[in-house]
Every structure is written in C-alpha cells, then in structure tokens.
Amino acid sequence: MTVNISYNASEKNKLTKSFTLLTSLTGEMVNESSVTDPVLLIQNLTDSVVANMNYAEIVEFNRKYFITDIVHVRQNLYRVTLHVDVLSTYAEQIKNHSAVVSRQENKWNLYLDDGVFKTYQNPQIITKAFPSGFTTQNFVLAVAGG
Amino acid sequence: MAYITTDKGVITLCNITNVVEFDKIEDGKVWVYYTVNNVLSQEHTDIFSLIPYSRAEEYQRITAINGNYINAQHEDTPSGSNLYPYKYAMLLSDDSFVVHDTGGNDSYLGESELLLMYAEIGGTVYFRFRTIQNSGGRYYDAFDIETSELISEWIERGAGDPYEEGGISGTGGGSGTFDGTGDAIGFPSLPTLSAVSTGFVTLYAPTLAQLNGLASYMWSGGFDIDTFRKLFADPMDVILGLSIVPVAVPISGAQDVKVGNISTGISMNKASTQYVNVDCGSLQVKEYWGSCLDYAPNSKCQIFLPYIGTRSIDIDEIMGKTIHVKYAVDILSGALVANIMCGSSVLYSFTGACASSIPVVSRDFTSIISSAIQIAGNIGMAVATGGLSTPVTAASAVQLGVAAGQTAMNVANSKPSVQHSGAVGGTSGMLSVQTPYLIFELPRQSLPKGYNTFGGYPANITLQLGTCSGFTKVEMIHLENIPATDAELNEIETLLKAGVIL
C-alpha cells in the first residue's frame, strides 16, 4: 500500500487542490480499516513532515484525505487519522454534473434579489426635471352671455 | 358474461362465480362470454352502453389510478332487507366512465350479485367479477392489471376519510398562454364640448391694460342701468370670474366685451376653447445599478407635479422606460389633470387646480382666503410609515456572530415615508416649482472587496459544474455515476450546497 503524505495549501472546499508532496510511504494494512476514515500507524516520520503534513492520498483506495488528527504514540511512531476529501477524490465526476446553481462568482443574474447584499443607511437622493413645465401666466375673464 | 339484460336495464345474474372472456366492444356495447353453473355459454350479450361519465349524475367516485391498480368504487343502497348495489362506474382508458345501474331492489337477483369491472388500457382489456355483499357500505375495489388479483376493501357507510367528500387532489395547471402582449393606453383627448360653445359663458384672455379699462367702465357713471337687461340684480354679477392661469389661452380673435348685452367698448381676445394641454416633455429613466437594486423595495421614486404636489409612483413601472407628463387644463374652473405615460401607456392620473382667483366682489375674496388657509394647513405634513423591520441598534450590531449592517431590503423598509409637499393648487401652485421633476431614492452600496469571490452573486441557473470557476453554491443536484459510498455522496451534496470553489 502506498500512502502519499502532503501539505495542502488550498481551501478545504476547493474542488481541485494544490498540494505539495512531503513524503511517499509504502506499507501493509495490518488490521481492518475504513476506506473513508482510515487510521494509519506511521513510523519514522521526520519532524518537518510532521510539522507540515495535513493531506494524504492512499493510492490503493483511490482516494485523497484530510489529515484530521496526528497522535504521537511513542518514539518515531505516529497515529494519523484521515477523512476522505470527497471533493478532490471525485472532482472529475462532479465537474460532469449539471446543477441548479444558486450563487456563482462569475455567472450570475443581478435582477434576483440577493438577500444578503448590504447597503448603508444613507441613501442617495437624485432629482431629475422634465424638459418643460408651466412657463406663462394669463388672465381669464369669464363673462355671462356672449 | 355473467349479465343479461333486463327491462330495468340491469345486467345481472345469480350464482355466477366464474370469470368469462371478453369478446369485443361494438356499437358502444361490451360483448363477452359468460358461464352459468360452470357451463360456458357461447352466446353474446351486451353488458351496457358506453356513455360519457357525468359526475353531476353519478354520486360515486373513481379513485385515482395508481400503479397497477385501477380502482372502482360503488355504494350499496339499502332496499328493505336486501341491499343491492345501486350504481357504480368504471374508468376507461379514454377517460370516459361506464355507468352501470343495477336498478336497486330486485328480488330476482337474490342475495348476491356479480358486477363487471372493466377497463381498457393500452389496447388490452381487463375485467373482473366480484360478489357484492348485501349490507350498507362502500366498496373500494381494485384489480391488478398484470395478475388480475382482486383487492377489495369494505368500508362501512359513514366511515372513511371525513374530508373525502370535499374532493381529492389531482394535477392541474400548465395551460398558461404566456401571452405578454398588451394594449397601449395613450393620452386622452380634450373634451369636445365646452362652456364657450354654449353662448352662456364667454371666456376672454385680456391683457392687464384691457382689464384696467373694463374695471374703469364698471365703476364709471357711463353705465346706463335702465338699459341693463334685468337678468342680474347687480351688474357685477355679469362677471362670473377673473383668474390667473399658468397656461397660454388659445384665442379666436378680438371681441367687444358686453356686460348684460351692453357693449363696454373694451375689446379683448376671446378664448377659443375651454381646455388646454400643457406638455411637460419626457424623461428617460435608466437603471443606476443594472440589478434588483434599481427596483422596489430597494429604490423608491416620487414625482413633483406643479399645481398638484408630490406623489409616489411605483419605480418598477417607470424603470427603463420613457416617462411623459402632459397636463389637461380647464381654464374656466382651473381644474387640471396630470397624465403620466410610462412607456406606451398612461399609468397615472393626478388631479389638481391651477387657477388663482382674483376677487371681483367681497364674497370672492372671502372664499379665496379661506381656501388659502385650508391649503396652508396641509403643507409640510410628514407621514411616517414603513418601519417594517427592527432597525439594527448598536447593541445588536456588536452581538457575536451577527454581521453589522443591514441588507438593502431592510434599509428600504426601515425608512419612514415622508411627504415632500402638501396641496399646491391655485395660488399656492403659482408660488411653487413650475416644472415637474422626479425624486429618486437609491441605495448606497456597502460592498466588501472581493465580495463575489467569497460568496458569489445570485444565479438560479442550470450550469455544468465543469464550466464554472470560482465560488459556486448549488441549490439542486442529482448525483449519479460516482463510485462513492452513500456517506460520501451525502457529503458531496452537502458541501456543494454549502458552496465550493471550482
């Protein structure tokens, strides 16, 4: 079994992550393990790897993982808890899906009420005059008869 | 078939338990083979005529077709010691109903009856016989299309869903025309009949010098009271009114002014018509934001109209359109109407008064003063409305987890509506602004830098996620063809709906 330990610099909710490989490990599964939430016992990790590792990939499980916990068991032995990163693992399949998108960074319709867009308490007042109005004054005398 | 025709129109047989075969439908009748005492007869007999279902005549109801079952329903009516099915109906594939009337109390029928339930779906005929028990109540019958398995539920009379009599829900809608064409409503024409046409009233458009001359004449001794036609007790009663109007009076030529048919020797221009249009021109109202912020309730609009005052108009009705204001003025009474055309139709009409009366006799002056006092009482009145949402106070603004500031809608709704003017008719109108103008109240945005990268803007668009970039929040999605566990699929959907970065 091959486990790639990495440092992930991307946002947790980013579909395709940018991560830096710190070390690649090989070993055997001794006991049963969850495929989505495996727990690994890893020996001989360097201090720099321990300090920076937050991401992993188990090639045989075909999944990428967040490192959710690192426990120092004893000298040179760490227990590392993983949780599957479903977005990165299934990124290509997700991209093939169509969906009703409620909010988007670049494709939007601003005529929909945002609901969270904020405005200041002091609105702007604009007056616009019509081109013409009442420009003259005249007497009108009403007399009975013709 | 287990039925025969009787003089009552009933087709029933006794003690028939075997299902027979359907033969054909011909001449509106169903033909089948039936057995009697387990002996198959090859005679044909008509069952009943296919007639259109009429709910007004039929008190039974057909329950909905669901899955493989076709439900028919009938109700027994008591008839002495024996209870026989009275009526039932069956749904056919062409949405017509077959109504079968057993005729009620028929001793020939014995204690049991066989009723045919028939339906034709997709060109295949399904039928079923069943035995009706003689008791009051209601049968809910159904039979499976594939297996002909009969399912029958006996419901005592009065039992069942108490609301069922009110009708069962079904599908509806979808028949809209989507026809958005409308009719243009143009400016009204001026009236064709006017006081000047009657001969009882003459309107003049005098100059100041001509008025001075008339006043001198009326107060002079040259007025011969003996020749004054006895139509008036006071010669001044001939003068119906003198006013100043803010419009150009159309004239038909000069004429000698006659008082009680007595020539005064004063020549004045005579008004040719009682009604005059004043065209104030058009304004193009353009969106400021190009978004929902240009419309109610985020933005508001009022219009000031000379000789009327300030009125609220719906900004949704004018945004993006050409607004045209045209007055129709009655120079005799001073009444006027301002018609506002939004786009191609007149959507607003406001009334006012523009004549400033000049007192000729004492009673004129008194009424003028009292009117002015009444109008003055309305000027400057502020009407506070709105306040639909609680304003954000300083205390709540610093509450942990509550973001400061209000959304555009809350800001708009928390503002009171203030009246910008009172009544400005008559003389008050002449002292006010003489040109109409629009007053827009537009929101002022509070936009954090990079707002759309953090939370996006509203979309409500079906998009392929692979074509999107940046922050994306999904409202609805069907996840399929993903080799993930059920928990993983749930997590994918949860994350997409919370917002992801593509």
Side-chain angles (χ1 to χ4, degrees), chain B residues 231-370:
Chain B
L231 296 175
F232 304 95
D234 183 344
M236 290 303 289
D237 290 340
V238 174
I239 307 298
L240 300 178
L242 176 63
S243 59
I244 299 173
V245 293
V247 299
V249 179
I251 58 177
S252 61
Q255 179 175 301
D256 176 38
V257 178
K258 293 183 179 179
V259 174
N261 207 35
I262 299 175
S263 175
T264 63
I266 307 296
S267 179
M268 292 181 183
N269 287 323
K270 179 180 175 182
S272 60
T273 180
Q274 181 181 350
Y275 305 106
V276 178
N277 273 328
V278 177
D279 194 335
C280 297
S282 302
L283 269 184
Q284 178 70 29
V285 180
K286 298 179 181 179
E287 293 179 345
Y288 180 89
W289 301 95
S291 73
C292 61
L293 294 176
D294 290 306
Y295 300 86
N298 303 303
S299 291
K300 300 175 186 175
C301 183
Q302 291 181 310
I303 185 169
F304 173 81
L305 295 165
Y307 301 97
I308 295 174
T310 305
R311 297 288 183 269
S312 292
I313 55 177
D314 188 346
I315 196 167
D316 292 351
E317 293 175 337
I318 69 171
M319 187 56 64
K321 294 179 183 173
T322 299
I323 310 304
H324 190 173
V325 175
K326 184 185 285 188
Y327 281 77
V329 181
D330 175 7
I331 62 173
L332 176 59
S333 66
L336 55 75
V337 172
N339 292 305
I340 304 175
M341 180 178 284
C342 307
S344 61
S345 294
V346 173
L347 297 183
Y348 295 91
S349 291
F350 297 109
T351 59
C354 67
S356 176
S357 294
I358 299 173
V360 177
V361 294
S362 62
R363 60 177 179 272
D364 293 342
F365 190 66
T366 301
S367 65
I368 289 171
I369 295 300
S370 63

Side-chain angles (χ1 to χ4, degrees), chain B residues 159-208:
Chain B
D161 192 324
Y163 288 107
E164 194 171 359
E165 294 292 335
I168 305 298
S169 63
T171 58
S175 59
T177 63
F178 294 102
D179 181 5
T181 57
D183 300 319
I185 309 299
F187 285 115
S189 303
L190 293 174
T192 54
L193 295 179
S194 68
V196 299
S197 309
T198 64
F200 283 92
V201 176
T202 302
L203 295 179
Y204 295 96
T207 63
L208 184 60

Side-chain angles (χ1 to χ4, degrees), chain B residues 141-164:
Chain B
D141 304 321
F143 61 94
D144 189 279
I145 293 176
E146 302 295 336
T147 67
S148 296
E149 177 186 358
L150 176 66
I151 299 174
S152 176
E153 182 179 0
W154 173 254
I155 305 297
E156 292 294 332
R157 187 187 300 275
D161 192 324
Y163 288 107
E164 194 171 359

